[in-house]
Amino acid sequence: ILLIPLIAAVFVLIYGRILSVLRSYAEDQATTSVSQAAVLLENTLSNFDYMANFIAYNAEAQETLEYRQSQPFEDYTQVPYHYFNSMERIMIINYSSLILNQIVIVGDNGMIFDVPRHNPSYSAEELAVARESARKGEGRINWEQFREGEYTLIKEIRSITDTSPLGCVILSVKQEYLSKQLETLFSGNGTAFVLDAEGALVCGEDADILYDEDTGKRLDLSTDSSTFTLLRNRQNNLLVTSRSLPSYGLTLYCVIPQASLYRDVNSLMTWILCLLIAIVVGLMFFAMHFANSLTKPVKMLSEAMDTASEGNFSLRLPVQSNDEIGALTSHFNIMLEQISSLIDNVYKQELLKKEAEYQMLEAQINPHFIYNVLDTISWTARANHLEDLAEMVSALSKLLRTSISKKTFVK
């Protein structure tokens, strides 16, 4: 019983330590997954960069866009058909309907090429905005949210001979495709999304749990990129971590409810808790049984000693083990046996001694009584002048004295 508080304290310490280690492990696994997702997303965007560069620096595309730079076409429909064939062949190599909405090339010579639509899907105003964005990039790749539901790569195409601007290439990447790269990150337990430098959503799910219920504003997502940061709102305690993609001015945010991240850990700890309780209870029962197995023989031996002290030496205890208690019990039984045997021997000898003393006393008392009777008869006979009778009685008395003195007694 005295050990129960100590066992409970040790149990609490062990449970707390295991819980801390498992939660740290769960967080490490989650942050590792986030880092891998960031690398995957960056590699995906790099593939689009490579695709844009491949198109921009293709020799046939360069030659086509250099045509009639001094006299641009007033309308793309005036462009000879064979240019469409050659340019669309270059573009279709890189096009996939699962990944891209379209690839568009806008030339400063008035040429416009669109895959897969052939006819431009962007308005003249949108193309002008894209061309201006490309011009500001000065040959570098820009990523912009040009239209809803897409993330757009815009790159200015420059001549490989004199670096003069020739136009721009536009890759319309489906946000759905980028979002799928993040869907399996937390297996439905959390949410992952990408924000640009202005805080606009690029891809992923901008969940409702990220907004304050009163103000409707997004919660502050500032976080240490190496660990999870606790973010509190009314519904859940959220764990937030982020990974920056500096090459693209993007930040990947991953948000998971604390209960979801630790769900498996808590379930495991529940089983561990039940197991530890079962072990502790089992150990307690074992300890009680073990203590009882030690104290019960000692208690029986003590009670037997009390009984023997009251004079009952016939009691015998069963020997139930071969340990020290068993040896002590065996020796106790032998001691009782010896005491009982000794008592029997002493008692018998005492009886024999008493019997002998009684016989000796009897032997001593009977002759004297007979002598006295014979002497009384002899004196009575003399008083009555019966001399013959007196002589006879005296002779008989002498005969008896002689016999007794020689240790022979005749009845």
Side-chain angles (χ1 to χ4, degrees), residues 89-117:
R89 185 176 62 253
I90 297 170
M91 296 161 68
I92 204 71
I93 294 174
N94 299 281
Y95 175 77
S96 171
S97 60
L98 298 176
I99 301 174
L100 298 172
N101 288 319
Q102 68 258 11
I103 301 176
V104 179
I105 295 178
V106 181
D108 291 346
N109 59 1
M111 295 182 177
I112 302 176
F113 305 99
D114 191 316
V115 169
R117 295 176 177 81

Short mmCIF file of all heavy atoms in Angstrom, two decimals, residues 89-117:
data_model
loop_
_atom_site.label_atom_id
_atom_site.label_comp_id
_atom_site.label_asym_id
_atom_site.label_seq_id
_atom_site.Cartn_x
_atom_site.Cartn_y
_atom_site.Cartn_z
N ARG A 89 3.02 23.53 -83.15
CA ARG A 89 3.74 22.27 -82.96
C ARG A 89 4.73 22.40 -81.80
O ARG A 89 4.88 21.48 -80.99
CB ARG A 89 4.48 21.90 -84.25
CG ARG A 89 5.16 20.53 -84.17
CD ARG A 89 5.80 20.13 -85.49
NE ARG A 89 6.85 21.07 -85.88
CZ ARG A 89 6.74 21.95 -86.87
NH1 ARG A 89 5.61 22.05 -87.55
NH2 ARG A 89 7.76 22.76 -87.17
N ILE A 90 5.40 23.53 -81.69
CA ILE A 90 6.33 23.75 -80.58
C ILE A 90 5.58 23.82 -79.25
O ILE A 90 6.01 23.25 -78.24
CB ILE A 90 7.11 25.06 -80.81
CG1 ILE A 90 7.98 24.96 -82.07
CG2 ILE A 90 7.98 25.39 -79.59
CD1 ILE A 90 8.59 26.28 -82.49
N MET A 91 4.44 24.46 -79.26
CA MET A 91 3.67 24.67 -78.03
C MET A 91 2.98 23.39 -77.59
O MET A 91 2.88 23.10 -76.39
CB MET A 91 2.65 25.78 -78.24
CG MET A 91 3.29 27.14 -78.51
SD MET A 91 2.17 28.33 -79.29
CE MET A 91 1.01 28.60 -77.96
N ILE A 92 2.47 22.60 -78.54
CA ILE A 92 1.70 21.40 -78.19
C ILE A 92 2.58 20.35 -77.53
O ILE A 92 2.09 19.50 -76.78
CB ILE A 92 0.99 20.84 -79.44
CG1 ILE A 92 -0.23 20.01 -79.02
CG2 ILE A 92 1.94 19.99 -80.28
CD1 ILE A 92 -1.35 20.81 -78.47
N ILE A 93 3.88 20.38 -77.81
CA ILE A 93 4.81 19.44 -77.16
C ILE A 93 4.77 19.61 -75.65
O ILE A 93 4.90 18.65 -74.88
CB ILE A 93 6.24 19.65 -77.71
CG1 ILE A 93 6.31 19.27 -79.18
CG2 ILE A 93 7.24 18.84 -76.89
CD1 ILE A 93 7.65 19.59 -79.83
N ASN A 94 4.59 20.84 -75.19
CA ASN A 94 4.63 21.15 -73.76
C ASN A 94 3.25 21.22 -73.12
O ASN A 94 3.13 21.35 -71.90
CB ASN A 94 5.34 22.49 -73.55
CG ASN A 94 6.77 22.47 -74.03
OD1 ASN A 94 7.65 21.96 -73.36
ND2 ASN A 94 7.00 23.03 -75.22
N TYR A 95 2.22 21.12 -73.92
CA TYR A 95 0.86 21.30 -73.40
C TYR A 95 0.29 19.99 -72.84
O TYR A 95 0.49 18.92 -73.40
CB TYR A 95 -0.06 21.84 -74.49
CG TYR A 95 -1.50 21.94 -74.03
CD1 TYR A 95 -1.91 22.99 -73.21
CD2 TYR A 95 -2.43 20.98 -74.41
CE1 TYR A 95 -3.23 23.08 -72.79
CE2 TYR A 95 -3.76 21.07 -73.99
CZ TYR A 95 -4.14 22.10 -73.17
OH TYR A 95 -5.44 22.19 -72.74
N SER A 96 -0.41 20.11 -71.70
CA SER A 96 -1.17 18.99 -71.14
C SER A 96 -2.45 19.57 -70.56
O SER A 96 -2.41 20.51 -69.76
CB SER A 96 -0.38 18.27 -70.04
OG SER A 96 -1.22 17.33 -69.38
N SER A 97 -3.58 19.01 -70.95
CA SER A 97 -4.86 19.54 -70.49
C SER A 97 -5.09 19.31 -69.01
O SER A 97 -5.93 19.98 -68.39
CB SER A 97 -6.01 18.88 -71.28
OG SER A 97 -6.01 17.47 -71.09
N LEU A 98 -4.35 18.38 -68.39
CA LEU A 98 -4.48 18.13 -66.96
C LEU A 98 -3.76 19.19 -66.14
O LEU A 98 -4.07 19.38 -64.95
CB LEU A 98 -3.92 16.75 -66.61
CG LEU A 98 -4.62 15.55 -67.25
CD1 LEU A 98 -3.90 14.26 -66.88
CD2 LEU A 98 -6.07 15.48 -66.84
N ILE A 99 -2.81 19.86 -66.77
CA ILE A 99 -1.96 20.80 -66.05
C ILE A 99 -2.23 22.24 -66.44
O ILE A 99 -2.29 23.14 -65.60
CB ILE A 99 -0.48 20.46 -66.29
CG1 ILE A 99 -0.18 19.03 -65.82
CG2 ILE A 99 0.43 21.45 -65.61
CD1 ILE A 99 1.22 18.56 -66.16
N LEU A 100 -2.42 22.48 -67.73
CA LEU A 100 -2.50 23.84 -68.26
C LEU A 100 -3.88 24.12 -68.85
O LEU A 100 -4.52 23.24 -69.44
CB LEU A 100 -1.45 24.03 -69.36
CG LEU A 100 0.03 23.88 -68.92
CD1 LEU A 100 0.92 23.91 -70.16
CD2 LEU A 100 0.42 24.98 -67.95
N ASN A 101 -4.31 25.36 -68.68
CA ASN A 101 -5.49 25.82 -69.41
C ASN A 101 -5.13 26.12 -70.86
O ASN A 101 -5.82 25.70 -71.78
CB ASN A 101 -6.08 27.07 -68.74
CG ASN A 101 -6.75 26.74 -67.41
OD1 ASN A 101 -7.43 25.73 -67.30
ND2 ASN A 101 -6.56 27.60 -66.43
N GLN A 102 -4.05 26.87 -71.04
CA GLN A 102 -3.58 27.18 -72.39
C GLN A 102 -2.16 27.72 -72.34
O GLN A 102 -1.67 28.13 -71.28
CB GLN A 102 -4.49 28.18 -73.11
CG GLN A 102 -4.47 29.57 -72.53
CD GLN A 102 -5.71 29.85 -71.69
OE1 GLN A 102 -6.49 28.95 -71.36
NE2 GLN A 102 -5.88 31.11 -71.34
N ILE A 103 -1.53 27.68 -73.49
CA ILE A 103 -0.24 28.34 -73.70
C ILE A 103 -0.46 29.39 -74.77
O ILE A 103 -1.01 29.11 -75.85
CB ILE A 103 0.85 27.34 -74.15
CG1 ILE A 103 1.03 26.23 -73.10
CG2 ILE A 103 2.16 28.07 -74.39
CD1 ILE A 103 2.02 25.16 -73.53
N VAL A 104 -0.03 30.61 -74.49
CA VAL A 104 -0.24 31.72 -75.43
C VAL A 104 1.11 32.40 -75.69
O VAL A 104 1.89 32.63 -74.76
CB VAL A 104 -1.25 32.75 -74.87
CG1 VAL A 104 -1.43 33.90 -75.84
CG2 VAL A 104 -2.59 32.08 -74.58
N ILE A 105 1.37 32.67 -76.97
CA ILE A 105 2.54 33.46 -77.35
C ILE A 105 2.04 34.72 -78.03
O ILE A 105 1.27 34.67 -79.00
CB ILE A 105 3.47 32.68 -78.29
CG1 ILE A 105 4.08 31.47 -77.55
CG2 ILE A 105 4.59 33.58 -78.81
CD1 ILE A 105 4.97 30.61 -78.42
N VAL A 106 2.47 35.86 -77.52
CA VAL A 106 2.11 37.16 -78.08
C VAL A 106 3.37 37.81 -78.64
O VAL A 106 4.33 38.07 -77.88
CB VAL A 106 1.46 38.07 -77.02
CG1 VAL A 106 1.07 39.41 -77.64
CG2 VAL A 106 0.26 37.40 -76.40
N GLY A 107 3.42 38.00 -79.96
CA GLY A 107 4.59 38.60 -80.59
C GLY A 107 4.42 40.08 -80.78
O GLY A 107 3.31 40.59 -81.02
N ASP A 108 5.53 40.80 -80.68
CA ASP A 108 5.50 42.25 -80.95
C ASP A 108 5.24 42.53 -82.43
O ASP A 108 4.96 43.67 -82.81
CB ASP A 108 6.81 42.90 -80.52
CG ASP A 108 6.98 42.90 -78.99
OD1 ASP A 108 5.96 42.66 -78.29
OD2 ASP A 108 8.10 43.14 -78.50
N ASN A 109 5.32 41.48 -83.27
CA ASN A 109 5.05 41.62 -84.70
C ASN A 109 3.57 41.40 -85.03
O ASN A 109 3.20 41.26 -86.19
CB ASN A 109 5.91 40.67 -85.51
CG ASN A 109 5.68 39.22 -85.11
OD1 ASN A 109 4.85 38.93 -84.23
ND2 ASN A 109 6.39 38.30 -85.76
N GLY A 110 2.71 41.35 -83.97
CA GLY A 110 1.27 41.21 -84.19
C GLY A 110 0.80 39.77 -84.22
O GLY A 110 -0.41 39.51 -84.35
N MET A 111 1.69 38.79 -84.12
CA MET A 111 1.31 37.39 -84.13
C MET A 111 0.79 36.97 -82.75
O MET A 111 1.36 37.37 -81.73
CB MET A 111 2.49 36.50 -84.53
CG MET A 111 2.97 36.70 -85.94
SD MET A 111 4.33 35.55 -86.31
CE MET A 111 4.64 35.94 -88.03
N ILE A 112 -0.25 36.17 -82.73
CA ILE A 112 -0.78 35.61 -81.49
C ILE A 112 -1.07 34.13 -81.73
O ILE A 112 -1.80 33.79 -82.68
CB ILE A 112 -2.08 36.33 -81.04
CG1 ILE A 112 -1.84 37.83 -80.84
CG2 ILE A 112 -2.61 35.70 -79.76
CD1 ILE A 112 -3.10 38.60 -80.51
N PHE A 113 -0.49 33.29 -80.87
CA PHE A 113 -0.68 31.85 -81.00
C PHE A 113 -1.24 31.32 -79.68
O PHE A 113 -0.76 31.69 -78.60
CB PHE A 113 0.64 31.14 -81.32
CG PHE A 113 1.33 31.70 -82.54
CD1 PHE A 113 2.36 32.60 -82.39
CD2 PHE A 113 0.92 31.33 -83.81
CE1 PHE A 113 3.00 33.13 -83.51
CE2 PHE A 113 1.56 31.87 -84.93
CZ PHE A 113 2.59 32.76 -84.78
N ASP A 114 -2.26 30.46 -79.79
CA ASP A 114 -2.94 29.94 -78.59
C ASP A 114 -3.15 28.45 -78.75
O ASP A 114 -3.68 27.98 -79.77
CB ASP A 114 -4.28 30.65 -78.42
CG ASP A 114 -4.92 30.35 -77.05
OD1 ASP A 114 -4.92 29.18 -76.63
OD2 ASP A 114 -5.43 31.29 -76.42
N VAL A 115 -2.70 27.71 -77.77
CA VAL A 115 -2.93 26.26 -77.71
C VAL A 115 -3.67 25.97 -76.42
O VAL A 115 -3.26 26.46 -75.36
CB VAL A 115 -1.59 25.48 -77.77
CG1 VAL A 115 -1.81 24.00 -77.45
CG2 VAL A 115 -0.94 25.63 -79.13
N PRO A 116 -4.81 25.26 -76.47
CA PRO A 116 -5.30 24.46 -77.60
C PRO A 116 -6.37 25.14 -78.43
O PRO A 116 -6.94 24.51 -79.32
CB PRO A 116 -5.89 23.25 -76.87
CG PRO A 116 -6.47 23.83 -75.61
CD PRO A 116 -5.53 24.93 -75.22
N ARG A 117 -6.71 26.41 -78.16
CA ARG A 117 -7.88 27.00 -78.77
C ARG A 117 -7.64 27.53 -80.20
O ARG A 117 -8.57 27.77 -80.94
CB ARG A 117 -8.42 28.13 -77.88
CG ARG A 117 -8.94 27.63 -76.55
CD ARG A 117 -9.36 28.79 -75.66
NE ARG A 117 -9.94 28.33 -74.41
CZ ARG A 117 -9.24 27.94 -73.36
NH1 ARG A 117 -7.91 27.94 -73.43
NH2 ARG A 117 -9.82 27.54 -72.25
#
